[in-house]
Amino acid sequence: MNVASKSDHNPDRAAANRWAALSVLFIANFMNLIDVSIVNVALPQIQADTRATPTQLEWIAAIYVLALAVGLLPCGRFGDVFGRRRMFVWGLMGFTLSSAICGLAPDVFSLIVARALKGIAAAMMVPQVLAIAHVIFPPEERSRVFGMFGTVSSLAVVAGPIIGGALISADIGGLGWRLAFLVNIPLGLAALIGTRLFVPELDTDTRTRPDWIGTALFSIAAVLLVLPLIEGRALGWPWWCFAAIAASGPVAFGFIVYERRRSAAGQPALMPPGLLANGPYLRRLGLVALFFSGIPGLFLVLAVFLQSGFGLTALQSGLVTTPFPVGVMLASMTTERFGNHYLSLRIATGAALLVIGMIWLRSVILSTGAELNPYAFTPPLLICGFGIGTAIMSLFQVTMSSVETQDAGAGSGAMQAFQQIGAALGIAIAGTIFFGSLGEGGMEIEADIAPRFVHAAATATHYSIAVFATLAVLVGVSALSAGKDTK
């Protein structure tokens, strides 16, 4: 697929602008990632201001990643059909506008709805980032681009808690937690201007039509899986929760069957036939979902643990968790030099480091008494961050390596969709474990609240430990059985 915009008439200009275009794409990705990390820091303040229930807090965090997960695959394919630059601009505009709506939301329900809209807008924007970069850069430069992507992503995660905590603590204009969402407005406007100046139009397949039935099946399967996990605990786990989870499997299977039949009939499919027939790619999507289910829920738990349990401010909470993204950034910069080498080893090593770090973090939480020692969290969080940074870009590289250029949008969208499905599942499961372990009193202030928070947070870490131990074993066994590194 070739650059089509003004690059058709002036290819040298388009080639010269590719690094400026990449900067604009990274701003958009930065906005998406910073939004995820900022909201965790803002949740306790939102709860104090709006009296949100634990379930509503889970929804504020999870609805964004759920909407993003549901929309990523179809929007990645829509980028191939309608134009990747066009979808990117629409998503960027929607993301900026919905950020303003979040910042002005009058109540919890309005905030949850605005977060859902924001997730849909992000789904339009995010898959185009890697898809456009995949096309405008030659193969010999893509490894460097992936490494830069990991570094910028790490910076976003670093900046999120600190910027969010600083803005909330500063309480400029009495806006408090609302500033955590309003900060995206100037970033979005800058990205829109940069897109117009530097990001080229790309060729589209005008013969392809959207696969609406496939989109509906994929969305229903995702919602059936995640919705009961979030609502089940608050509702006492009624029968329909288990029925919905059970139904998500057949619906997902129906999606795959429908897509294969559609492809066999020569009709455009949400999942192109090349991806459906690509066994290594499909297996790696499962690893992506598993990998990303282990972290987001834990950081929701840590934010509530530090602020509601031990009275830290949003800024202090953000600073306590800063070693994690610092570790991610250090690992990303370190592993960038390896390029496409030792990918399986890097994934397995990163997962093993995460297991070590999570076990250490659990020990620190359990040793916390009435007074919190924030410095005790630094070593385990740094190790966990280094583990994530060691594995994450290798997992992205090995997953996208088998995707053909014409399916780059769908491949990137599917990969990031499974990433967000994993994140939504992780938030739902870790939130259910944590808030369920708090017991009858919930987050109400009581004399024994610190011990209850310690017990609940330590219990919630079990899920992340199990996730990364499983991932390390799966990747390690796969690499050993293959007898060589996965490229």
Side-chain angles (χ1 to χ4, degrees):
M1 190 173 289
N2 299 316
V3 176
S5 93
K6 302 176 183 179
S7 60
D8 280 345
H9 305 287
N10 192 347
D12 292 335
R13 180 173 178 271
N17 284 341
R18 69 188 186 279
W19 292 106
L22 185 67
S23 299
V24 175
L25 297 174
F26 280 172
I27 290 175
N29 194 60
F30 185 92
M31 289 169 60
N32 169 53
L33 291 171
I34 200 175
D35 194 74
V36 173
S37 54
I38 273 183
V39 78
N40 285 332
V41 176
L43 284 176
Q45 291 291 323
I46 293 173
Q47 191 275 333
D49 186 34
T50 65
R51 309 308 301 171
T53 66
T55 299
Q56 289 173 329
L57 291 181
E58 289 180 64
W59 272 117
I60 292 170
I63 193 65
Y64 176 81
V65 293
L66 178 57
L68 180 57
V70 167
L72 275 170
L73 180 55
C75 287
R77 193 56 171 162
F78 292 165
D80 296 336
V81 176
F82 298 122
R84 295 169 186 168
R85 182 180 184 272
R86 180 181 299 174
M87 287 294 294
F88 179 75
V89 170
W90 288 350
L92 192 53
M93 291 174 62
F95 191 93
T96 305
L97 179 60
S98 57
S99 293
I101 297 174
C102 285
L104 300 175
D107 51 45
V108 175
F109 178 76
S110 301
L111 178 58
I112 292 173
V113 172
R115 288 277 292 168
L117 295 174
K118 195 174 188 178
I120 294 171
M124 299 172 67
M125 174 179 71
V126 170
Q128 317 313 326
V129 172
L130 286 179
I132 293 174
H134 190 78
V135 174
I136 65 176
F137 282 89
E140 62 271 16
E141 292 181 342
R142 288 175 190 163
S143 175
R144 183 183 176 192
V145 169
F146 272 106
M148 293 174 64
F149 180 83
T151 302
V152 171
S153 299
S154 304
L155 286 172
V157 181
V158 170
I162 298 174
I163 293 175
L167 289 172
I168 294 168
S169 298
D171 196 22
I172 300 171
L175 292 172
W177 58 266
R178 300 177 186 275
L179 292 169
F181 301 108
L182 297 176
V183 70
N184 285 322
I185 296 176
L187 291 174
L189 293 176
L192 284 169
I193 295 171
T195 301
R196 183 170 182 82
L197 292 175
F198 302 118
V199 179
E201 296 282 359
L202 301 173
D203 287 339
T204 59
D205 186 355
T206 56
R207 298 166 300 175
T208 302
R209 293 293 179 267
D211 176 11
W212 298 114
I213 295 178
T215 299
L217 289 172
F218 179 80
S219 302
I220 291 170
V223 172
L224 284 173
L225 181 60
V226 177
L227 173 62
L229 290 175
I230 296 177
E231 288 288 348
R233 178 190 53 81
L235 298 177
W237 295 104
W239 66 268
W240 65 263
C241 288
F242 299 101
I245 294 172
S248 65
V251 174
F253 180 75
F255 165 75
I256 294 173
V257 171
Y258 174 79
E259 293 297 292
R260 285 178 173 170
R261 288 181 178 176
R262 190 173 173 88
S263 297
Q267 297 176 309
L270 185 61
M271 283 284 281
L275 294 183
L276 287 172
N278 191 333
Y281 174 76
L282 295 177
R283 288 193 296 273
R284 290 161 190 166
L285 288 183
L287 293 179
V288 167
L290 178 66
F291 183 85
F292 281 95
S293 73
I295 288 295
L298 180 65
F299 274 85
L300 180 151
V301 167
L302 282 178
V304 177
F305 170 78
L306 293 170
Q307 295 183 52
S308 298
F310 288 89
L312 270 63
T313 66
L315 177 57
Q316 290 170 333
S317 172
L319 291 173
V320 169
T321 58
T322 296
F324 176 85
V326 169
V328 177
M329 183 171 61
L330 291 174
S332 297
M333 294 189 305
T334 302
T335 57
E336 179 181 346
R337 68 189 64 183
F338 292 112
N340 292 328
H341 300 292
Y342 313 115
L343 296 179
S344 293
L345 178 62
R346 283 150 59 183
I347 297 170
T349 301
L353 286 172
L354 278 158
V355 173
I356 295 170
M358 290 293 175
I359 293 174
W360 192 348
L361 179 62
R362 179 179 180 274
S363 176
V364 169
I365 292 172
L366 285 173
S367 65
T368 302
E371 295 295 327
L372 181 80
N373 177 13
Y375 301 105
F377 289 81
T378 298
L381 287 175
L382 190 63
I383 291 174
C384 288
F386 201 88
I388 286 282
T390 300
I392 187 171
M393 292 318 300
S394 303
L395 188 56
F396 283 167
Q397 284 176 262
V398 77
T399 302
M400 287 295 291
S401 64
S402 58
V403 177
E404 298 295 332
T405 298
Q406 67 269 20
D407 293 328
S412 172
M415 181 183 70
Q416 294 178 83
F418 275 76
Q419 172 186 343
Q420 298 303 328
I421 287 174
L425 283 172
I427 291 172
I429 294 171
T432 295
I433 295 171
F434 176 74
F435 290 116
S437 298
L438 277 178
E440 296 284 334
M443 293 193 298
E444 296 300 321
I445 301 298
E446 298 175 2
D448 67 340
I449 192 169
R452 289 196 295 110
F453 268 83
V454 167
H455 168 71
T459 303
T461 62
H462 291 161
Y463 175 72
S464 295
I465 293 171
V467 163
F468 293 117
T470 302
L471 185 73
V473 171
L474 288 175
V475 176
V477 169
S478 175
L480 289 174
S481 63
K484 59 181 179 180
D485 189 33
T486 304
K487 294 284 184 173

